[in-house]
Amino acid sequence: MTDPAARFATAFAACPLVAILRGLTPDEAIPVADALVEAGFTLIEVPLNSPQPYDSIAAIAAHVGNKAIVGAGTVLTTEQVDRVKAAGGTLIVSPNTDTQVIAHSVAEGLISLPGYFTPSEAFAALKAGAHGLKLFPAEGASPTFLKAQRAVLPREVAVLAVGGITPDNMAEWRAHGADGFGLGSNLYRAGKPAADVAVSARAYVEKAR
């Protein structure tokens, strides 16, 4: 399966959660990735403000790339998109709506999942070719804020709430229009042992099902 939209749709249907591994080091990459995949995760991002992020992306992609879509977060430039692709990553996640980054990601055959906060940003991202949208920072909004946006956003577009998501508040967000979630420090923080990541990952997957 080579079409990025189809790859994303398949992975997202299997598990609508993106693991955000900010602060991950290359030495931790494989044990943490194994913990996530074993729990059921199919989408993994290593933010580019982590130590040696491209090395971690390369290691994870080579190790579990047949089981999960792997890529980068905090992608801000087209040059970074190219480096992620060279490392074997196929997922491009940004905190913002940069139409050049989105369009370049799509042109390179990668999955584009940009951040947005307003309807104007959401529609600009979709026009540029985004495969999904991440409402960020979700803790600066509310489930009802998303519900109002979902009245105008295309129903077929996956919208993920990212920021401040816990297993306990996922149900409320889903009831108001979230299709999935990006999970940061509540799932993984720098130095968290892989065994503890596994416990957190299973708790999120259980609530997502």
Side-chain angles (χ1 to χ4, degrees), residues 75-78 94-104 112 114-115 124-125 128:
V75 180
L76 303 176
T77 68
T78 57
S94 300
N96 61 332
T97 302
D98 185 318
T99 56
Q100 286 187 317
V101 169
I102 296 167
H104 187 65
S112 173

Side-chain angles (χ1 to χ4, degrees), residues 23 25 30 34 41 56 91-92 129 136 146 155 159 163:
T25 66
I30 288 178
D34 278 339
F41 275 74
S56 293
L91 176 66
I92 302 295
F136 178 80
L146 176 57
R155 182 59 256 175
V159 177

Side-chain angles (χ1 to χ4, degrees), residues 47-177:
L48 293 184
N49 53 3
S50 303
Q52 300 173 263
Y54 301 104
D55 291 342
S56 293
I57 291 167
I60 296 172
H63 187 64
V64 299
N66 61 332
K67 300 175 183 177
I69 292 174
V70 180
T74 319
V75 180
L76 303 176
T77 68
T78 57
E79 291 78 12
Q80 289 174 334
V81 171
D82 292 336
R83 290 193 67 184
V84 173
K85 183 177 181 179
T90 56
L91 176 66
I92 302 295
V93 185
S94 300
N96 61 332
T97 302
D98 185 318
T99 56
Q100 286 187 317
V101 169
I102 296 167
H104 187 65
S105 301
V106 174
E108 291 297 316
L110 306 177
I111 297 162
S112 173
L113 192 61
Y116 87 99
F117 200 75
T118 68
S120 294
E121 291 174 338
F123 282 107
L126 294 175
K127 186 175 182 180
H131 297 103
L133 299 170
K134 78 170 195 180
L135 175 63
F136 178 80
E139 64 259 64
S142 67
T144 54
F145 179 85
L146 176 57
K147 181 181 180 181
Q149 294 187 348
R150 293 261 40 171
V152 295
L153 292 176
R155 182 59 256 175
E156 67 273 13
V157 174
V159 177
L160 291 77
V162 182
I165 302 301
T166 69
D168 293 335
N169 65 19
M170 287 168 62
E172 183 180 9
W173 278 102
R174 293 194 83 159
H176 287 79

